[in-house]
Amino acid sequence: MKELTKTKVTVRLRKAEDRKEWYIYLESYPVQVIGKKSPQRIREYLNRSVTTVDFDKKRVARTTETSVSYKPKRNDNGIIICKSDHDIETMLYADAIRKLRQKEYDNAELYSELDTIQAEQKEKSQENFIKYFEAVVKKRHKNSSTSIIINWERSIEFLKDFAGETIVFSQIDFKFCEDFKSFLLTAKRGGNKDGILSQNTASTYFSVFKAALKQAFIDGYFTTDISAKIKSIPSQETRREYLTIEELNSLVETPCENDVLKRAALFSALTGLRHSDIQKLKWNEISYEGNQPRINFTQKKTKGVEYMPISQQALEICGEPKSPKDLVFENLTNPSWINRPLKNWVAKAGINKNITFHCFRHTFATLQLSNGTDIYTVSKMLGHTNVKTTQVYAKVIDEKKNKAAEAIQLKSLKN
């Protein structure tokens, strides 16, 4: 941002050489003059003079070999004090001219600064939003989880599909955003997948787009916060699949072709940990508080530092302790590589449900609430930053209660 020069205009006096009279002039400094590198001092004589100036004998202005001059006294408003009524009127006139000049300088500087801001804004409005969007991902999410980064990158890809590789900021208005929203709601999933994006996926990508718009407003690319004016795509409540305690025990008794997968899945059901947190869990993160085993770790998704007590069964699933820096569930692969052995294992156990690894976390939450653990404790154990996220599981419990209410049926009491 350009720094203002803060020009100040002051009423000054110059002594006439041959008589007791002082000429009045305005001095303006510093003034930027075209063609001059350094700021200039500008003097403007007002064709007025005074003879009855009241000088301050305690404040020396200039000393020569033959004389000493003093600074004039000024009142609280900075106006030079004179003794005669005529000179007082003259000094009031001089101060009025000073105010006029000061206002001119102030306005000139403000308009110059405004011109600079407008020029910078115009330049920014012609930059490529796609390039900015990609830079935000690298800067804002360099330490985020893989799933968050993928959502940001996928949002950019769909934006490119919608409007091309180059989208200048000046193109983006309310209509552009609404059109992109409509595009997402009918966009094909891409890759080898058939069908269109689910509403929840479209909602996620549009929320990412809005977050990028918000950051662009903060960084000065927009003069108004356009993200606050556009409505999000509402998310639809999805069914959270989970396992009953009987189904979990069936899985315990059923062999799995991938032993570390079986142990990690059951560990998730006993602790509620995500796959990403289990995958990076090390032995030095497992400790005891008295006789209570616990894990201390930083959640990969939320970056929250957590400690969690775990059961003896969960500890036993971890196996024999190894070196502190070793992974507890060594060779646990990414979710995409465990889908097939996981589905085979679930099918062999006779369970007819669409179970993914994340369902074991859902199972933990549902069983905890079913057994009377309060929702705030469950929310904390899951590492949720907002208890509203946990309330999804509470609705599952309410459905079970409603079904339970109809479970006992007596014969008609009308007879």
Side-chain angles (χ1 to χ4, degrees):
M1 183 179 290
K2 176 185 172 186
E3 183 179 353
L4 295 177
T5 53
K6 301 180 179 65
T7 299
K8 182 178 180 181
V9 183
T10 308
V11 176
R12 303 280 190 201
L13 300 175
R14 185 175 71 81
K15 175 72 168 59
E17 293 183 0
D18 55 350
R19 58 191 179 278
K20 190 179 178 182
E21 184 178 4
W22 289 266
Y23 301 118
I24 304 171
Y25 68 93
L26 300 180
E27 181 182 83
S28 304
Y29 180 83
V31 179
Q32 298 294 336
V33 178
I34 297 175
K36 301 286 186 179
K37 292 184 178 179
S38 59
Q40 302 295 301
R41 193 180 301 273
I42 305 297
R43 292 183 178 182
E44 178 187 355
Y45 283 87
L46 301 183
N47 196 26
R48 296 285 193 281
S49 63
V50 288
T51 58
T52 61
V53 180
D54 191 1
F55 289 98
D56 188 346
K57 300 297 183 180
K58 296 180 180 179
R59 302 177 67 213
V60 175
R62 181 179 301 174
T63 302
T64 65
E65 294 180 358
T66 58
S67 66
V68 177
S69 61
Y70 300 95
K71 293 182 179 181
K73 291 181 179 179
R74 296 177 184 265
N75 65 17
D76 292 341
N77 293 318
I79 300 173
I80 293 173
I81 298 173
C82 293
K83 296 174 183 177
S84 73
D85 291 341
H86 177 270
D87 286 353
I88 290 172
E89 290 293 329
T90 300
M91 295 314 304
L92 287 172
Y93 166 80
D95 190 63
I97 301 298
R98 178 198 67 79
K99 289 178 180 177
L100 180 64
R101 293 290 181 268
Q102 186 68 64
K103 186 174 182 180
E104 289 173 352
Y105 278 115
D106 290 347
N107 286 343
E109 291 194 42
L110 287 173
Y111 284 127
S112 175
E113 176 71 2
L114 181 60
D115 289 342
T116 301
I117 292 171
Q118 288 176 338
E120 290 175 353
Q121 186 65 49
K122 185 175 181 180
E123 185 177 342
K124 280 188 170 184
S125 72
Q126 297 307 306
E127 291 187 26
N128 188 358
F129 177 69
I130 293 290
K131 295 292 184 186
Y132 172 83
F133 204 155
E134 291 170 340
V136 169
V137 179
K138 292 177 182 177
K139 181 179 178 181
R140 180 170 169 175
H141 294 295
K142 59 183 178 181
N143 296 320
S144 295
S145 67
T146 303
S147 61
I148 290 176
I149 294 173
I150 288 174
N151 282 337
W152 277 71
E153 290 176 344
R154 290 288 287 159
S155 179
I156 293 172
E157 290 305 314
F158 277 102
L159 187 59
K160 288 179 181 178
D161 291 342
F162 169 66
E165 296 279 341
T166 302
I167 305 169
V168 296
F169 280 89
S170 59
Q171 285 180 249
I172 302 173
D173 54 15
F174 183 81
K175 183 178 184 305
F176 179 94
C177 297
E178 289 296 317
D179 288 346
F180 180 49
K181 183 195 295 185
S182 299
F183 172 81
L184 286 175
L185 288 169
T186 57
K188 292 183 179 180
R189 296 173 69 188
N192 298 321
K193 299 177 180 178
D194 296 327
I196 64 173
L197 294 177
S198 70
Q199 184 162 323
N200 286 354
T201 301
S203 174
T204 298
Y205 294 159
F206 195 67
S207 294
V208 169
F209 171 67
K210 285 184 63 178
L213 293 180
K214 180 74 173 182
Q215 189 61 49
F217 168 68
I218 293 170
D219 291 340
Y221 288 88
F222 294 114
T223 55
T224 57
D225 184 6
I226 192 170
S227 67
K229 297 180 179 181
I230 51 179
K231 292 183 178 180
S232 300
I233 298 174
S235 58
Q236 293 179 328
E237 192 170 304
T238 56
R239 176 179 174 80
R240 300 289 179 101
E241 197 68 89
Y242 66 95
L243 296 158
T244 65
I245 191 66
E246 292 78 17
E247 289 169 335
L248 272 180
N249 282 320
S250 294
L251 287 172
V252 171
E253 296 171 352
T254 303
C256 178
E257 61 186 86
N258 187 328
D259 181 64
V260 69
L261 163 60
K262 177 178 180 177
R263 293 192 300 112
L266 295 175
F267 186 78
S268 178
L270 290 171
T271 63
L273 287 184
R274 298 178 180 88
H275 176 280
S276 57
D277 292 319
I278 295 173
Q279 191 178 40
K280 68 181 183 63
L281 184 66
K282 295 179 180 179
W283 283 104
N284 61 4
E285 294 174 308
I286 299 177
S287 62
Y288 278 88
E289 183 72 24
N291 295 322
Q292 176 66 58
R294 56 189 277 180
I295 53 177
N296 303 271
F297 67 104
T298 302
Q299 289 199 62
K300 189 173 180 182
K301 182 176 181 180
T302 65
K303 302 304 176 186
V305 178
E306 303 285 349
Y307 88 87
M308 180 189 295
I310 61 174
S311 67
Q312 289 293 336
Q313 272 197 331
L315 184 63
E316 289 171 9
I317 287 175
C318 294
E320 289 296 322
K322 298 180 181 178
S323 298
K325 294 292 184 180
D326 284 350
L327 294 172
V328 176
F329 295 92
E330 194 174 2
N331 299 322
L332 178 62
T333 53
N334 292 332
S336 58
W337 293 97
I338 60 178
N339 279 339
R340 186 186 59 80
L342 178 62
K343 288 185 182 299
N344 290 342
W345 177 41
V346 171
K348 275 201 289 185
I351 300 169
N352 187 25
K353 289 181 179 178
N354 183 25
I355 299 296
T356 64
F357 193 96
H358 204 65
C359 292
F360 290 91
R361 176 173 163 85
H362 298 329
T363 297
F364 169 82
T366 306
L367 294 181
Q368 286 287 350
L369 290 169
S370 296
N371 283 282
T373 307
D374 69 89
I375 193 169
Y376 296 99
T377 301
V378 174
S379 181
K380 185 67 177 174
M381 294 176 79
L382 289 171
H384 288 163
T385 54
N386 192 325
V387 74
K388 288 183 179 179
T389 309
T390 321
Q391 286 174 346
V392 174
Y393 301 107
K395 290 181 180 179
V396 174
I397 305 305
D398 288 340
E399 288 177 9
K400 291 175 68 178
K401 287 180 180 178
N402 291 339
K403 289 180 180 178
E406 300 295 329
I408 301 174
Q409 293 290 325
L410 301 177
K411 291 183 178 180
S412 176
L413 298 176
K414 293 180 181 180
N415 296 333

